[in-house]
Amino acid sequence: MRIGEVARQAGVSVRALRYYEEQDLLQAERSSGGQRQYPDSAVDRVHLIQQLFAAGLPSRSVREVLRCVYSGTVSPGLLDQLESERARISGRINELLAARDRLDGVIATTRNPPPECTHAQALDGPALSAAPSSTHRPAHRTTGR
């Protein structure tokens, strides 16, 4: 499979594939004309590389993980590192879930504010006083522009 086809199927740039090769994460053979030829498994490998990068692993760790995935063996030191990375990722997932839940609350309150709550109060919380003053202005105004 040529580099452009792998890039298209994997949803990455050709430049990303070249970087993966430079980092020894992906291997290609060269045709007699010098063009890269990848095995059919390259697309799945690129997806795994992307997932590991998205999880925050550096290329050095990704390289080690790939070796383990394809060899089926893990050294004890690497296993400790992988468990540590997994714990870090789990913590990040929990943080993201908490942020999503907060956003869900803001969205729900904004779309359906309780009768006693003005739109500005729904966004700003209890910091606004219940009795409006003559200098009070809404936090925002929809102008329809």
Side-chain angles (χ1 to χ4, degrees):
M1 189 179 310
R2 292 176 55 181
I3 193 168
E5 183 64 15
V6 174
R8 186 185 65 72
Q9 286 187 28
V12 300
S13 67
V14 168
R15 184 175 180 175
L17 296 177
R18 289 185 185 127
Y19 173 77
Y20 298 161
E21 280 189 62
E22 289 172 10
Q23 297 298 310
D24 196 29
L25 305 174
L26 185 65
Q27 292 76 36
E29 303 218 354
R30 296 288 182 148
S31 69
S32 58
Q35 294 181 331
R36 290 173 172 87
Q37 295 291 324
Y38 294 92
D40 290 340
S41 62
V43 173
D44 287 335
R45 187 175 181 105
V46 169
H47 285 145
L48 177 57
I49 292 167
Q50 290 280 294
Q51 288 174 329
L52 295 172
F53 277 145
L57 275 71
S59 56
R60 175 184 46 79
S61 296
V62 171
R63 188 172 31 260
E64 292 178 34
V65 169
L66 290 171
R67 285 188 194 122
C68 297
V69 167
Y70 294 104
S71 73
T73 61
V74 180
S75 68
L78 180 58
L79 186 58
D80 290 342
Q81 180 185 349
L82 293 176
E83 287 173 342
S84 175
E85 286 293 338
R86 185 185 187 290
R88 183 190 60 76
I89 291 167
S90 292
R92 185 68 182 129
I93 288 169
N94 289 334
E95 291 169 4
L96 289 169
L97 288 171
R100 185 192 63 192
D101 291 347
R102 297 282 305 263
L103 286 174
D104 286 346
V106 169
I107 291 166
T109 302
T110 302
R111 289 185 189 267
N112 300 305
E116 69 277 1
C117 182
T118 68
H119 193 63
Q121 288 172 323
L123 293 176
D124 294 336
L128 296 177
S129 66
S133 70
S134 60
T135 60
H136 172 74
R137 291 204 166 113
H140 71 84
R141 184 176 296 212
T142 304
T143 61
R145 289 182 214 170

